[in-house]
Amino acid sequence: MQPAADTFTLPDAPLNAWYAAAYDVELGRRLLARRILDHNVVMYRRADGEPVALENACWHRLLPLSEGALEGDNVACGYHGLVFNPEGRCVFMPSQETINPAARVRSYPVVELHRFIWVWPGDPALADPALVPDLHWNSDPAWAGDGKLIHVDCNYKLVIDNLMDLTHETFVHSSSIGQRSITEVPFEVTHGPNSATVTRWMIDVEPPPVWRAQLELKTGVPAGRVDRWQIIHFEPPSTVSIEVGVAPHGSGAPEGDRSAGVNGRVLNTMTPETERSCHYFWAFVRDYALGDQRTTTLFRESVASIFAEDEHVLAAQQRAIDDHPDKQFYNLNIDGGAMWARRLIDRMVARELPDERYVRSAEQSLAAEGERINVEATAADAERLGIKL
Amino acid sequence: MSGEYFARATVRRVVDVAPDVRLIELVPDAGVAPYPPGSHIDIAVSIGGIPDTRSYSLVGEPDGQAYRIAVKQVPDSRGGSRVVRALSPGQEALISAPKSHFELAHGRPEYLLVAGGIGITPLIGMAQALHRHGRSFRLLYSARTRAQLAFADELRELLGERLELFVDAEGTRIEVAARIAALDPDAELYLCGPQGMRDAVARAWLAAGRRADRLRFETFASGGRFAPQEFVVRAADLDGAEFVVARETTMLDALAEQGVELMWDCRRGECGLCAVSVLACEGELDHRDVFLSESQRAQCRTMLACVSRAVGGAVTIDSGFRSDPERPRSVAMQRS
């Protein structure tokens, strides 16, 4: 919807959060440019392997530093040769013996964890590595798997909506993991102060093709009817970790013992690129057949083809949203998980806002959460955060 | 897409159009947007310090000058209507753009509009539009007393004998089944009124073998099978904490005031987002929603906190609150 004069809305994503900016294997001794929440960032590894993330525009004439070259741990601009170190300070200027002390580019806090390079686009003073979203299964020796990065032409929240409600599997992924029982069994939506969970158990169902094959791989015997689970965990602002799997019906999985079954985790974290596009990092990991590289590759590729179906739907949805600026979403019962996710995101956003009108709007969208949001900031903060008042 | 936009508007005129109905005209600073009949706007209000919104149908077709809403004085109101009714000329309010969830279909051979009390508001614009397009239709409008038939004179002038008035106090009633039987097979019925009327019309419509999608209804004006009364909510997942839901508030609001968050959206019993699990119930549940099926209502395992109530006693629920998942410390900061 086009805001009319005097209307206001919340920014799209909080700045004070860790966002996945690259897969570990993407980063090396070369310059990688990527837009993260509309910040153009250049990334590389130092000689010792530590990741670096800098503003991707030379202090001097704004040429993207990614057009330049690595010089040891520093990056040299490809236009006039200014050199910046990993902290973003200029350490060389052409044709002068001194260096202008103001010469610097922004250096972003960066952490490598769970096979991702995480960048903090907000206030560096708040960048606590303990706040990196929990995707530890991606680098836990008790789990095996791999994943990919996809670029999706849609707002990142549409991907979150997609992941928080798996009834869409029945319709979007009918050939692989979809089955009618997903839409037929009840689900439970729960929430915590900083989490939202959607739990769905399908008891005594035929396994869909993908899961039948996995169960047979593990047990070596033909699979019968199963209990199937999907437990979706959201961690704001944009991480969704999904427990998935099947176990032979009656083997005790709903009661807590999944040892007779096959356990997977779909790990997802989305990073806004612009308001209409995002970087979608995912991995599929499993806790069985750990040494089986063939399964790792097959799973990675089959999940990639499943996600390509989502990519198509999501991009079409974004185009339809753009085509219908007068329309709003209508929310259904199945959107409960997504609505909690959006409420938690809005709350994070509201906490960093300087203007009381935004706080009121945020509270309206959160309404009735019974907690006042304290914001102390100024117009200068608004400018820094890029918010138009 | 996400969030809701509110725009500043100024109250232009306030006039009582019935003993308990107040017409309020709002002029948005950014200008009036066109809207189809049946549209509503949301108004931002603050109830006991908690920001919230209330939805009101727009009265009549757009005139390019102002949005008109009619607010009924409800003794059991959650406070929203009281706040909105208190608006006076020159005051400012924050309002949404018009939203259309109750749209009039074109091209039907015949239309029947049925209004109960304040439920007349969305149907006025529909009657105007149908009249303007020369369609075959009637408007059946009922209220408890003749004085409560707001807008009846204006409607009479426009519609003549196509308007029929029914007054409970005078013993006149809409003969629903007969009215439906007399309609063209492809006719549509548009309905807005209290729950008793809604249930009766819906039952008669389906009993007549008519298509469910040809019965259109709006659910703002909600009343239950029982008069609202105070009840107690026990939240099993919050150590059995007890909350009192006063007569004039809802379970959703009463819990929110005590810091118990539920998800919600429509607040009128349609979307199902505020459904809570009912673990135990003393007494009866007064389901006032249109989300649950008849059999789900009978099971009493879930209820919609925005509109439904317990009658006589207490209800034990699961509000859905759980602790956040624990984060493993052992893997923190490992390099992969």
Side-chain angles (χ1 to χ4, degrees), chain B residues 108-316:
Chain B
R108 298 278 171 255
E110 189 180 3
Y111 298 83
L112 185 63
L113 312 181
V114 180
I118 192 66
I120 190 66
T121 52
L123 299 181
I124 294 172
M126 292 193 180
Q128 289 172 332
L130 291 169
H131 169 74
R132 201 157 44 78
H133 293 298
R135 298 291 176 186
S136 167
F137 74 99
R138 297 190 84 76
L139 170 56
L140 313 184
Y141 180 12
S142 78
R144 289 208 179 92
T145 65
R146 188 157 288 271
Q148 284 173 305
L149 288 165
F151 308 108
D153 294 343
E154 297 92 313
L155 287 166
R156 173 70 69 205
E157 199 171 312
L158 179 75
L159 305 178
E161 54 81 37
R162 288 173 298 179
L163 172 70
E164 293 180 48
L165 302 174
F166 302 85
V167 179
D168 293 351
E170 299 171 10
T172 51
R173 299 169 52 91
I174 303 174
E175 299 297 334
V176 180
R179 291 305 189 133
I180 291 171
L183 291 173
D184 184 284
D186 286 323
E188 284 200 345
L189 194 157
Y190 289 77
L191 171 67
C192 189
Q195 174 144 0
M197 173 187 256
R198 229 160 53 210
D199 289 348
V201 173
R203 224 173 284 131
W205 184 262
L206 297 174
R210 290 183 177 259
R211 283 169 49 171
D213 65 328
R214 293 279 163 85
L215 172 65
R216 320 293 304 166
F217 54 90
E218 175 84 310
T219 50
F220 290 152
S222 199
R225 290 183 297 132
F226 301 89
Q229 49 182 276
E230 185 176 294
F231 65 100
V232 170
V233 178
R234 213 170 280 129
D237 55 324
L238 301 170
D239 300 325
E242 289 194 354
F243 308 92
V244 174
V245 183
R247 211 167 65 94
E248 64 281 358
T249 189
T250 65
M251 187 198 285
L252 183 64
D253 286 339
L255 291 176
E257 267 172 45
Q258 300 299 316
V260 179
E261 283 188 274
L262 301 178
M263 185 45 67
W264 52 267
D265 190 38
C266 74
R267 306 194 71 115
R268 53 180 183 269
E270 287 177 12
C271 72
L273 281 164
C274 67
V276 293
S277 300
V278 174
L279 306 176
C281 179
E282 308 161 9
E284 244 186 297
L285 289 183
D286 187 8
H287 292 288
R288 298 172 168 220
D289 61 280
V290 296
F291 174 78
L292 298 175
S293 67
E294 291 281 347
S295 72
Q296 284 173 316
R297 287 179 179 210
Q299 286 172 7
C300 278
R301 285 218 294 264
T302 180
M303 68 187 287
L304 268 59
C306 70
V307 292
S308 298
R309 313 183 65 88
V311 182
V315 60
T316 305

Side-chain angles (χ1 to χ4, degrees), chain A residues 93-114:
Chain A
M93 277 185 178
S95 302
Q96 60 184 67
E97 292 183 10
T98 56
I99 292 171
N100 183 329
R104 63 177 285 269
V105 295
R106 183 170 172 183
S107 166
Y108 292 90
V110 59
V111 166
E112 181 168 6
L113 198 61
H114 315 323

